[in-house]
Amino acid sequence: MRVLFLGDIVGRPGREAVAGEMRRLREELALDVALANAENASGGLGLKPDEARRLLDSGLDVLTSGNHIWKYREIQDYMPRTTRLLRPANYPQGAPGSGLGVYSAGGGVSYAVLNLQGRTYMEALECPFRTADALLAQVPEDVRVILVDFHAEATSEKIAMAYHLAGRVSAVLGTHTHVQTSDARILRDAHGQGHTAALTDLGMCGPEESILGMEAAPILSRFLTGMPTRFRVAGGAVLLEGALLRIDEGTGRAQSIEIFRRRLI
Amino acid sequence: MRVLFLGDIVGRPGREAVAGEMRRLREELALDVALANAENASGGLGLKPDEARRLLDSGLDVLTSGNHIWKYREIQDYMPRTTRLLRPANYPQGAPGSGLGVYSAGGGVSYAVLNLQGRTYMEALECPFRTADALLAQVPEDVRVILVDFHAEATSEKIAMAYHLAGRVSAVLGTHTHVQTSDARILRDAHGQGHTAALTDLGMCGPEESILGMEAAPILSRFLTGMPTRFRVAGGAVLLEGALLRIDEGTGRAQSIEIFRRRLI
Amino acid sequence: MRVLFLGDIVGRPGREAVAGEMRRLREELALDVALANAENASGGLGLKPDEARRLLDSGLDVLTSGNHIWKYREIQDYMPRTTRLLRPANYPQGAPGSGLGVYSAGGGVSYAVLNLQGRTYMEALECPFRTADALLAQVPEDVRVILVDFHAEATSEKIAMAYHLAGRVSAVLGTHTHVQTSDARILRDAHGQGHTAALTDLGMCGPEESILGMEAAPILSRFLTGMPTRFRVAGGAVLLEGALLRIDEGTGRAQSIEIFRRRLI
Amino acid sequence: MRVLFLGDIVGRPGREAVAGEMRRLREELALDVALANAENASGGLGLKPDEARRLLDSGLDVLTSGNHIWKYREIQDYMPRTTRLLRPANYPQGAPGSGLGVYSAGGGVSYAVLNLQGRTYMEALECPFRTADALLAQVPEDVRVILVDFHAEATSEKIAMAYHLAGRVSAVLGTHTHVQTSDARILRDAHGQGHTAALTDLGMCGPEESILGMEAAPILSRFLTGMPTRFRVAGGAVLLEGALLRIDEGTGRAQSIEIFRRRLI
Ligand SMILES: [Fe+2]
Ligand SMILES: [Fe+2]
Ligand SMILES: [Fe+2]
Ligand SMILES: [Fe+2]
Ligand SMILES: [Fe+2]
Ligand SMILES: [Fe+2]
Ligand SMILES: [Fe+2]
Ligand SMILES: [Fe+2]
């Protein structure tokens, strides 16, 4: 099974680039599954339901998210009405929506997507490690392909999650920092056999000349003056970043992972 | 001028790998200058003066550092006695040592190294952006090659620094997260000409099967239980990570930057 | 029922002052129950089992604790062997010890003590609000007197807990900041009747001329230089700080709360 | 000289209570100087220029502020046009306004007010300790009465500042936590003579039944669910909190400090 998982989509440039390319990418890369984190898709922060729908219509199978997903109040109503938009599973019980979904990839192959959020340098949530344990126990046994988006800041927590889930899921892919890391690798299971693809951060889909997709000047000004500034989504060429995976459908083992990066002008 | 800048050296495995390879790397890569961040070189946290000396003797020209450099008290005495070990320049006035050095690369070419530390999710220091401005004003005008190690956690602060210094220094290279990023690029100066190489994080020189160079199990246990554990440097194959730069000596412009990653068994 | 709850005991001066005064205080104040937070009782950070025993022998009924309790490894073995030393209940499942105890005050009166820890500006733990709900459901119905030590940094989180538990427990008393607040009051239950005594922080039992019980100079030096210094317990006159409560045994309602502060030379 | 310094004024209830009482308080307490922190005076967060003017017209001599002062953009234009509204002095150079003012108390007595902000658990600013040193050197020698508002979160940083300035200023009074502490005391100068009044936090002027002046329910909901909620200023009885100081005009020594707390229905 061939999977493309894209990093945080930022603003209109990110959304339009992803939506505009998705059909072509599915074909060119022979994708069975295409996923993206969409927590920044609306205005650089948050996700409006309409824009979630348009992303899903464009050829993405499932959207994941993170700490910024709650920005627009409407998303709380939308979440329970779709299974194709996940939020981090370790928000407290009672939060709208779900952090785990099981989907069909066609040809009788099912796969699960699990969305989690870190706690180091981030807000207090339930333990992502224990939440992962609890939710993996709920995945039907015949669903072997399991893809995890761990939305977290600290590299230590992200790599710790990869080791925690090594041998139990197909991939642990980080999001949230908007900067793609170069450490794609496959971790071994308890028997020493390669199983779980890991990448500390997928990067983002958004304007290249920017700070995390936003215009540099207001952010620099904030660092220099300590005073609030209004952030704006940047313009110019757009980067699509993520990871491309091949996964054995029978066992759920990752066969390969490589970083994906494409520049659109 | 050809420069190799290596990410945080972790523990004995990192130290021995770097020291053992340095002569060969200088030759193979035709390096004019070789640098590394050494804040974790002793036991995974801190730097003992003897081990700093041995790294410098092995072929590294200058060592930079970061928040962990103060772990061994002796380093405070050592710092004022060498110009070849820098600490972040934005520690308060009166801190031992210096964050800026000017060196000779041979053949009459000088270069400066500037070490800074971030403040987002880190301890309170002087403003790294303003410190950079002040110190760059002190670099002699005929020193055109300027290399910056920005030791910081948050991707936003690191990229902001790259834009802040774009056109004014040869390279802004991040350290501290121990995970190499894939975003090597060259930022333009005010005239739109490529000038400043930037990479959000150089990565590390240390054990590959690890969490930031340390054994995974105690760190995972800490995340799972919230209780302190003793961290240990990991074993096994060692990764050497950093960036390889070509810089025009006459102008200080970066001509190319590529990530460097080598696995030693 | 008359209760004295003392704030964080700091180091030998705090320990000796508390132990030396406890019998006298029990008599003078006609105490039925005397409690203290002991997370800093050994050397200013942590608690050795022997010193816990001596505090309990001196006339304290129960010790609570907080984030610093794990400093000495031996405490993990001691905790399961006593019911009279609590740790915050919202450490993850599997942590040694317990955060809830039910005790007899003599004369057939039982009382419960619940120890919780905050998460704002502190390490990631389980949700203290939900943990409180779950544990209060376990307190036998005939135990009406329930005393809560909420070990937390942020005033917002501490007052939020007081409102969360208003009408359900006899008192919500803060610890951790080592500075006593002046806001002792009694919050109403759902029927508008006064029920739950609240104080944002009990203060500490330790040297008065100090920063949180520790010598001022090394701490000031750390703020000024950003470099690690070794903290030492201060000397001189000792403050005993806490709160004095009167609680109706039949209903568990707090009848009064006043801050307690005594200076020993 | 008799001084009243009030803690953070919260929203309309706080503003109206302070403005409504100020003339009466000046008379009743025979005040020479009345000051308040006003960072939360407009809607619970920020300060509108018109509302600053009205507070100053009501009988307050000078307003101090803190991290929330920048919420309304207009305040940046207002600040340079008045000397009677201070912002923390350790915002970076170039920030609008000033953190130090010298004023006349009538009868030929001058006094200075210095506003600083902490960095522990707060945003990165210039060092408040060194900024204090630099600014105190600018106070004319014949101005002996110096009042400091240190707007900070951590008790350790606040008490450290009091020791840092002991013997050099008349008072170091904390703000920001909105909870009044009970530790009013007078610290000694280098000759062992009582000089500097210190209180870790002045508390607030705002609704009593609240969390830091705001309605409890939305804040509790946020702690319980992790999801953003809209905070609203609470209603009901208002507390006025602060400290009352007597200061020797000739030497600048504090002669007494006591907490001030008044409940208005
Ligand atoms: Fe994001
Ligand atoms: Fe995020
Ligand atoms: Fe490091
Ligand atoms: Fe570091
Ligand atoms: Fe404590
Ligand atoms: Fe504590
Ligand atoms: Fe405030
Ligand atoms: Fe504030």
Side-chain angles (χ1 to χ4, degrees):
Chain A
M1 189 164 115
R2 295 173 62 87
V3 176
L4 178 68
F5 208 132
L6 296 171
D8 303 32
I9 299 171
V10 182
R12 174 189 297 267
R15 248 163 38 223
E16 294 188 347
V18 170
E21 293 296 307
M22 194 43 64
R23 299 289 170 203
R24 192 185 347 242
L25 285 171
R26 291 194 79 112
E27 198 171 326
E28 173 195 336
L29 303 170
L31 301 179
D32 298 292
V33 173
L35 310 162
N37 186 304
E39 69 148 7
N40 304 107
S42 296
L45 210 147
L47 176 63
K48 293 181 183 165
D50 272 2
E51 293 169 356
R53 272 185 214 103
R54 236 166 296 149
L55 283 167
L56 290 167
D57 287 350
S58 79
L60 283 162
D61 294 296
V62 182
L63 301 174
T64 55
S65 63
N67 55 316
H68 286 145
I69 190 62
W70 311 110
K71 158 91 181 189
Y72 296 100
R73 182 77 185 61
E74 313 87 273
I75 206 70
Q76 297 191 30
D77 302 323
Y78 176 61
M79 274 205 187
R81 300 213 304 270
T82 177
T83 57
R84 292 170 66 199
L85 168 62
L86 299 176
R87 46 84 179 161
N90 53 327
Y91 271 86
Q93 221 185 347
S98 167
L100 173 70
V102 176
Y103 310 92
S104 169
V109 180
S110 292
Y111 64 99
V113 181
L114 173 58
N115 194 181
L116 296 163
Q117 188 167 308
R119 302 195 292 183
T120 305
Y121 310 134
M122 299 187 80
E123 68 196 288
L125 295 180
E126 304 300 310
C127 174
F129 300 91
R130 289 169 190 254
T131 300
D133 294 346
L135 288 183
L136 289 180
Q138 291 176 23
V139 175
E141 257 200 36
D142 59 333
V143 177
R144 314 307 292 264
V145 177
I146 306 176
L147 305 165
V148 178
D149 171 355
F150 188 32
H151 193 78
E153 173 72 31
T155 48
S156 58
E157 193 175 16
K158 288 161 107 164
I159 300 178
M161 182 63 82
Y163 279 107
H164 184 60
L165 299 181
R168 299 197 280 157
V169 305
S170 308
V172 178
L173 306 167
T175 57
H176 177 68
T177 73
H178 293 211
V179 175
Q180 191 182 56
T181 58
S182 77
D183 62 338
R185 55 180 169 161
I186 294 182
L187 299 177
R188 288 192 286 270
D189 63 16
H191 310 293
Q193 198 173 349
H195 194 121
T196 301
L199 180 67
T200 298
D201 209 287
L202 290 170
M204 69 158 178
C205 298
E208 180 181 31
E209 278 286 329
S210 72
I211 298 177
L212 317 192
M214 311 304 280
E215 281 185 12
I219 295 176
L220 243 180
S221 158
R222 189 175 194 158
F223 277 117
L224 277 157
T225 66
M227 258 170 291
T229 51
R230 182 181 288 276
F231 293 175
R232 287 181 300 268
V233 175
V238 169
L239 277 183
L240 299 188
E241 294 180 328
L244 198 55
L245 301 118
R246 269 189 318 115
I247 299 170
D248 182 281
E249 301 164 8
T251 61
R253 286 179 207 284
Q255 294 166 308
S256 71
I257 174 170
E258 54 183 288
I259 57 176
F260 173 82
R261 162 177 282 178
R262 188 163 295 190
R263 195 165 174 274
L264 306 178
I265 316 192
Chain B
M1 190 164 114
R2 294 173 62 85
V3 177
L4 177 68
F5 209 132
L6 296 171
D8 303 32
I9 300 171
V10 181
R12 176 191 295 268
R15 250 161 41 222
E16 294 189 346
V18 170
E21 293 296 307
M22 195 42 65
R23 298 290 169 203
R24 194 188 343 243
L25 285 171
R26 291 195 80 111
E27 198 170 323
E28 174 194 335
L29 304 170
L31 301 179
D32 298 290
V33 173
L35 310 162
N37 186 302
E39 68 148 6
N40 304 106
S42 296
L45 209 146
L47 176 63
K48 293 181 182 163
D50 272 2
E51 293 169 356
R53 273 186 213 102
R54 235 165 296 149
L55 283 168
L56 290 167
D57 288 349
S58 78
L60 283 162
D61 295 295
V62 182
L63 301 175
T64 55
S65 63
N67 56 317
H68 286 144
I69 190 62
W70 311 109
K71 157 91 180 188
Y72 295 100
R73 182 78 186 61
E74 314 88 272
I75 206 70
Q76 297 193 27
D77 303 322
Y78 176 63
M79 274 205 186
R81 301 213 305 272
T82 179
T83 58
R84 291 171 67 200
L85 169 61
L86 299 175
R87 47 84 180 162
N90 53 327
Y91 272 85
Q93 221 183 347
S98 167
L100 173 69
V102 176
Y103 311 91
S104 168
V109 181
S110 292
Y111 66 97
V113 182
L114 173 58
N115 194 181
L116 296 163
Q117 188 167 308
R119 303 195 292 184
T120 305
Y121 310 134
M122 300 186 80
E123 67 196 288
L125 295 180
E126 304 301 312
C127 174
F129 299 91
R130 289 168 189 255
T131 300
D133 293 346
L135 289 182
L136 290 180
Q138 291 176 23
V139 175
E141 258 200 35
D142 58 333
V143 177
R144 314 307 294 264
V145 177
I146 305 176
L147 306 165
V148 179
D149 171 356
F150 187 31
H151 193 79
E153 174 71 30
T155 49
S156 58
E157 193 174 17
K158 290 161 104 164
I159 300 178
M161 181 63 82
Y163 278 107
H164 184 61
L165 300 181
R168 298 197 280 158
V169 305
S170 308
V172 178
L173 307 167
T175 56
H176 178 68
T177 73
H178 293 210
V179 175
Q180 192 181 55
T181 57
S182 76
D183 62 339
R185 56 180 170 163
I186 293 181
L187 299 176
R188 288 190 285 269
D189 63 16
H191 310 293
Q193 198 172 352
H195 194 122
T196 300
L199 179 67
T200 298
D201 209 287
L202 291 169
M204 69 157 177
C205 299
E208 180 182 30
E209 278 287 328
S210 72
I211 298 177
L212 317 193
M214 311 303 279
E215 280 184 12
I219 296 177
L220 243 180
S221 159
R222 190 176 193 157
F223 277 117
L224 276 158
T225 67
M227 259 170 290
T229 50
R230 183 181 288 278
F231 293 176
R232 288 181 300 266
V233 176
V238 169
L239 277 183
L240 298 188
E241 296 180 326
L244 198 56
L245 301 119
R246 269 188 317 117
I247 298 169
D248 183 282
E249 301 164 8
T251 60
R253 286 179 207 282
Q255 295 166 306
S256 71
I257 173 170
E258 54 184 286
I259 56 176
F260 173 82
R261 162 176 283 178
R262 189 162 297 190
R263 195 164 173 274
L264 306 178
I265 315 193
Chain C
M1 188 163 116
R2 294 174 62 86
V3 176
L4 178 67
F5 208 132
L6 296 171
D8 302 34
I9 299 171
V10 181
R12 175 190 295 268
R15 249 163 38 223
E16 293 188 348
V18 170
E21 294 296 307
M22 196 40 65
R23 298 289 170 202
R24 195 189 340 246
L25 285 171
R26 290 195 79 111
E27 198 171 324
E28 174 194 336
L29 302 171
L31 300 179
D32 298 293
V33 173
L35 310 163
N37 186 303
E39 69 148 7
N40 303 107
S42 297
L45 210 145
L47 176 63
K48 292 180 183 164
D50 273 2
E51 293 170 356
R53 273 186 212 102
R54 236 166 295 150
L55 283 167
L56 290 168
D57 288 348
S58 79
L60 283 162
D61 295 296
V62 182
L63 301 174
T64 55
S65 63
N67 56 315
H68 287 144
I69 191 61
W70 311 109
K71 158 90 179 189
Y72 296 101
R73 182 78 185 63
E74 313 88 272
I75 207 69
Q76 297 192 28
D77 302 322
Y78 176 62
M79 274 204 186
R81 300 212 305 270
T82 179
T83 57
R84 291 172 65 199
L85 168 62
L86 299 176
R87 46 85 180 163
N90 52 327
Y91 271 86
Q93 220 184 348
S98 167
L100 173 70
V102 177
Y103 310 92
S104 169
V109 180
S110 291
Y111 65 99
V113 181
L114 174 58
N115 194 180
L116 296 163
Q117 189 168 307
R119 302 194 293 184
T120 306
Y121 309 135
M122 300 187 80
E123 67 195 289
L125 294 180
E126 303 301 311
C127 174
F129 300 91
R130 289 168 190 255
T131 300
D133 294 345
L135 288 183
L136 290 180
Q138 291 176 23
V139 175
E141 259 201 33
D142 58 333
V143 177
R144 315 306 294 264
V145 177
I146 306 176
L147 305 164
V148 178
D149 171 357
F150 187 32
H151 193 78
E153 174 72 32
T155 49
S156 58
E157 193 175 15
K158 289 162 106 163
I159 300 178
M161 182 63 81
Y163 279 107
H164 184 60
L165 299 182
R168 298 197 280 157
V169 306
S170 307
V172 178
L173 307 166
T175 57
H176 178 67
T177 73
H178 293 211
V179 175
Q180 192 181 54
T181 58
S182 76
D183 63 338
R185 55 179 170 162
I186 293 182
L187 299 176
R188 286 192 286 272
D189 63 16
H191 310 293
Q193 198 172 351
H195 195 121
T196 301
L199 180 67
T200 299
D201 208 287
L202 291 169
M204 70 157 174
C205 299
E208 180 181 30
E209 278 287 329
S210 73
I211 298 177
L212 316 193
M214 311 305 279
E215 281 184 12
I219 295 176
L220 243 180
S221 158
R222 189 175 194 160
F223 278 117
L224 277 158
T225 67
M227 258 169 291
T229 51
R230 182 181 288 276
F231 293 175
R232 288 180 300 267
V233 176
V238 169
L239 278 183
L240 298 188
E241 296 180 327
L244 198 55
L245 301 119
R246 268 189 317 118
I247 298 169
D248 182 281
E249 300 165 9
T251 61
R253 286 179 207 284
Q255 295 165 306
S256 71
I257 175 170
E258 54 184 286
I259 56 176
F260 173 82
R261 163 176 282 177
R262 189 162 295 190
R263 196 165 173 274
L264 305 178
I265 315 191
Chain D
M1 189 163 118
R2 295 174 61 86
V3 176
L4 178 68
F5 209 132
L6 295 171
D8 303 33
I9 300 172
V10 181
R12 175 190 294 269
R15 254 166 33 226
E16 294 189 346
V18 170
E21 293 296 306
M22 195 41 66
R23 298 287 170 205
R24 194 188 341 243
L25 285 171
R26 291 195 80 111
E27 198 171 322
E28 172 194 336
L29 303 171
L31 300 179
D32 298 292
V33 173
L35 309 163
N37 187 303
E39 70 148 5
N40 304 107
S42 297
L45 209 146
L47 176 63
K48 293 181 183 163
D50 272 3
E51 293 170 355
R53 274 185 212 101
R54 235 165 297 150
L55 283 168
L56 289 167
D57 288 349
S58 78
L60 283 162
D61 295 296
V62 181
L63 301 175
T64 54
S65 63
N67 55 316
H68 287 145
I69 190 61
W70 311 109
K71 158 89 180 192
Y72 295 100
R73 184 78 186 60
E74 314 88 272
I75 206 70
Q76 297 192 30
D77 303 322
Y78 177 61
M79 275 206 186
R81 301 213 304 271
T82 177
T83 58
R84 292 171 66 200
L85 169 61
L86 300 175
R87 47 83 179 163
N90 53 326
Y91 271 85
Q93 222 185 345
S98 167
L100 174 70
V102 177
Y103 311 92
S104 169
V109 180
S110 291
Y111 66 97
V113 181
L114 174 57
N115 194 181
L116 296 163
Q117 188 167 309
R119 303 195 291 183
T120 306
Y121 310 134
M122 299 186 79
E123 67 196 288
L125 295 181
E126 304 301 311
C127 174
F129 299 92
R130 290 168 189 255
T131 300
D133 294 346
L135 288 182
L136 290 180
Q138 291 176 24
V139 175
E141 258 200 36
D142 58 333
V143 177
R144 314 307 292 266
V145 177
I146 306 176
L147 305 165
V148 179
D149 170 358
F150 187 32
H151 193 79
E153 173 72 30
T155 49
S156 58
E157 193 175 16
K158 289 162 106 165
I159 301 178
M161 182 62 83
Y163 278 107
H164 184 59
L165 299 181
R168 298 198 279 158
V169 305
S170 307
V172 179
L173 306 167
T175 56
H176 178 65
T177 73
H178 293 212
V179 175
Q180 193 182 54
T181 57
S182 76
D183 62 338
R185 56 179 170 163
I186 294 182
L187 298 176
R188 287 191 286 268
D189 63 16
H191 310 294
Q193 200 173 348
H195 194 121
T196 301
L199 179 67
T200 299
D201 209 288
L202 291 169
M204 69 158 177
C205 299
E208 181 182 29
E209 278 286 329
S210 72
I211 298 177
L212 316 192
M214 310 305 278
E215 281 183 14
I219 296 177
L220 243 180
S221 159
R222 190 175 194 159
F223 277 116
L224 276 158
T225 66
M227 259 170 290
T229 51
R230 182 181 288 277
F231 293 175
R232 289 181 300 265
V233 176
V238 169
L239 277 183
L240 298 188
E241 295 180 327
L244 198 55
L245 300 119
R246 269 188 317 116
I247 298 170
D248 182 282
E249 301 166 7
T251 60
R253 285 179 207 282
Q255 294 165 307
S256 71
I257 174 171
E258 54 183 287
I259 57 176
F260 173 82
R261 162 176 284 176
R262 189 162 296 191
R263 195 165 174 274
L264 306 178
I265 314 192

PDB file of all heavy atoms in Angstrom, chain A residues 8 37 39-40 67-68 151 176 178, ligand 1:
ATOM      1  N   ASP A   8       1.309  19.903   8.111  1.00  0.00           N
ATOM      2  CA  ASP A   8       0.301  20.943   8.355  1.00  0.00           C
ATOM      3  C   ASP A   8       0.063  21.840   7.132  1.00  0.00           C
ATOM      4  O   ASP A   8       0.963  22.557   6.676  1.00  0.00           O
ATOM      5  CB  ASP A   8       0.724  21.835   9.526  1.00  0.00           C
ATOM      6  CG  ASP A   8       0.971  21.060  10.820  1.00  0.00           C
ATOM      7  OD1 ASP A   8       1.407  19.898  10.753  1.00  0.00           O
ATOM      8  OD2 ASP A   8       0.745  21.635  11.891  1.00  0.00           O
ATOM      9  N   ASN A  37      -2.383  16.809   7.706  1.00  0.00           N
ATOM     10  CA  ASN A  37      -2.779  17.528   8.910  1.00  0.00           C
ATOM     11  C   ASN A  37      -3.293  18.894   8.469  1.00  0.00           C
ATOM     12  O   ASN A  37      -2.631  19.601   7.726  1.00  0.00           O
ATOM     13  CB  ASN A  37      -1.585  17.678   9.865  1.00  0.00           C
ATOM     14  CG  ASN A  37      -2.010  18.297  11.191  1.00  0.00           C
ATOM     15  OD1 ASN A  37      -2.580  19.385  11.211  1.00  0.00           O
ATOM     16  ND2 ASN A  37      -1.746  17.596  12.280  1.00  0.00           N
ATOM     17  N   GLU A  39      -4.668  21.466  10.641  1.00  0.00           N
ATOM     18  CA  GLU A  39      -4.998  22.357  11.767  1.00  0.00           C
ATOM     19  C   GLU A  39      -4.775  23.837  11.446  1.00  0.00           C
ATOM     20  O   GLU A  39      -5.276  24.698  12.155  1.00  0.00           O
ATOM     21  CB  GLU A  39      -4.190  21.978  13.015  1.00  0.00           C
ATOM     22  CG  GLU A  39      -2.705  22.260  12.885  1.00  0.00           C
ATOM     23  CD  GLU A  39      -2.052  22.642  14.216  1.00  0.00           C
ATOM     24  OE1 GLU A  39      -2.684  22.574  15.267  1.00  0.00           O
ATOM     25  OE2 GLU A  39      -0.862  23.021  14.180  1.00  0.00           O
ATOM     26  N   ASN A  40      -3.987  24.126  10.399  1.00  0.00           N
ATOM     27  CA  ASN A  40      -3.715  25.524  10.046  1.00  0.00           C
ATOM     28  C   ASN A  40      -4.284  25.918   8.696  1.00  0.00           C
ATOM     29  O   ASN A  40      -3.880  26.916   8.114  1.00  0.00           O
ATOM     30  CB  ASN A  40      -2.190  25.766  10.017  1.00  0.00           C
ATOM     31  CG  ASN A  40      -1.504  25.409  11.303  1.00  0.00           C
ATOM     32  OD1 ASN A  40      -0.806  24.408  11.387  1.00  0.00           O
ATOM     33  ND2 ASN A  40      -1.735  26.207  12.325  1.00  0.00           N
ATOM     34  N   ASN A  67      -3.308  21.184  18.077  1.00  0.00           N
ATOM     35  CA  ASN A  67      -3.704  22.165  19.085  1.00  0.00           C
ATOM     36  C   ASN A  67      -4.484  23.350  18.522  1.00  0.00           C
ATOM     37  O   ASN A  67      -5.275  23.958  19.238  1.00  0.00           O
ATOM     38  CB  ASN A  67      -2.464  22.679  19.836  1.00  0.00           C
ATOM     39  CG  ASN A  67      -1.403  23.239  18.919  1.00  0.00           C
ATOM     40  OD1 ASN A  67      -1.082  22.655  17.874  1.00  0.00           O
ATOM     41  ND2 ASN A  67      -0.844  24.362  19.294  1.00  0.00           N
ATOM     42  N   HIS A  68      -4.289  23.683  17.250  1.00  0.00           N
ATOM     43  CA  HIS A  68      -4.970  24.859  16.702  1.00  0.00           C
ATOM     44  C   HIS A  68      -6.352  24.546  16.124  1.00  0.00           C
ATOM     45  O   HIS A  68      -7.032  25.446  15.625  1.00  0.00           O
ATOM     46  CB  HIS A  68      -4.103  25.491  15.603  1.00  0.00           C
ATOM     47  CG  HIS A  68      -2.919  26.219  16.153  1.00  0.00           C
ATOM     48  ND1 HIS A  68      -1.707  26.274  15.528  1.00  0.00           N
ATOM     49  CD2 HIS A  68      -2.770  26.935  17.301  1.00  0.00           C
ATOM     50  CE1 HIS A  68      -0.856  26.976  16.257  1.00  0.00           C
ATOM     51  NE2 HIS A  68      -1.468  27.383  17.323  1.00  0.00           N
ATOM     52  N   HIS A 151       1.265  15.007  16.942  1.00  0.00           N
ATOM     53  CA  HIS A 151       1.380  16.458  16.810  1.00  0.00           C
ATOM     54  C   HIS A 151       2.055  17.004  18.069  1.00  0.00           C
ATOM     55  O   HIS A 151       1.427  17.151  19.112  1.00  0.00           O
ATOM     56  CB  HIS A 151      -0.032  17.030  16.648  1.00  0.00           C
ATOM     57  CG  HIS A 151      -0.063  18.450  16.199  1.00  0.00           C
ATOM     58  ND1 HIS A 151       0.151  18.815  14.891  1.00  0.00           N
ATOM     59  CD2 HIS A 151      -0.269  19.602  16.873  1.00  0.00           C
ATOM     60  CE1 HIS A 151       0.056  20.127  14.783  1.00  0.00           C
ATOM     61  NE2 HIS A 151      -0.191  20.638  15.980  1.00  0.00           N
ATOM     62  N   HIS A 176       3.449  19.604  13.599  1.00  0.00           N
ATOM     63  CA  HIS A 176       3.344  20.776  14.485  1.00  0.00           C
ATOM     64  C   HIS A 176       4.488  21.781  14.348  1.00  0.00           C
ATOM     65  O   HIS A 176       4.257  22.968  14.485  1.00  0.00           O
ATOM     66  CB  HIS A 176       3.241  20.384  15.963  1.00  0.00           C
ATOM     67  CG  HIS A 176       3.203  21.538  16.908  1.00  0.00           C
ATOM     68  ND1 HIS A 176       2.142  22.420  16.978  1.00  0.00           N
ATOM     69  CD2 HIS A 176       4.087  21.976  17.839  1.00  0.00           C
ATOM     70  CE1 HIS A 176       2.382  23.332  17.906  1.00  0.00           C
ATOM     71  NE2 HIS A 176       3.550  23.101  18.430  1.00  0.00           N
ATOM     72  N   HIS A 178       6.204  22.390  11.640  1.00  0.00           N
ATOM     73  CA  HIS A 178       6.179  22.923  10.265  1.00  0.00           C
ATOM     74  C   HIS A 178       7.544  22.860   9.586  1.00  0.00           C
ATOM     75  O   HIS A 178       7.732  23.478   8.535  1.00  0.00           O
ATOM     76  CB  HIS A 178       5.634  24.366  10.236  1.00  0.00           C
ATOM     77  CG  HIS A 178       4.193  24.495  10.608  1.00  0.00           C
ATOM     78  ND1 HIS A 178       3.374  25.473  10.095  1.00  0.00           N
ATOM     79  CD2 HIS A 178       3.406  23.764  11.449  1.00  0.00           C
ATOM     80  CE1 HIS A 178       2.153  25.350  10.619  1.00  0.00           C
ATOM     81  NE2 HIS A 178       2.159  24.324  11.435  1.00  0.00           N
TER      82      HIS A 178
HETATM   83 FE    FE E   1       0.605  23.534  12.719  1.00  0.00          FE
END
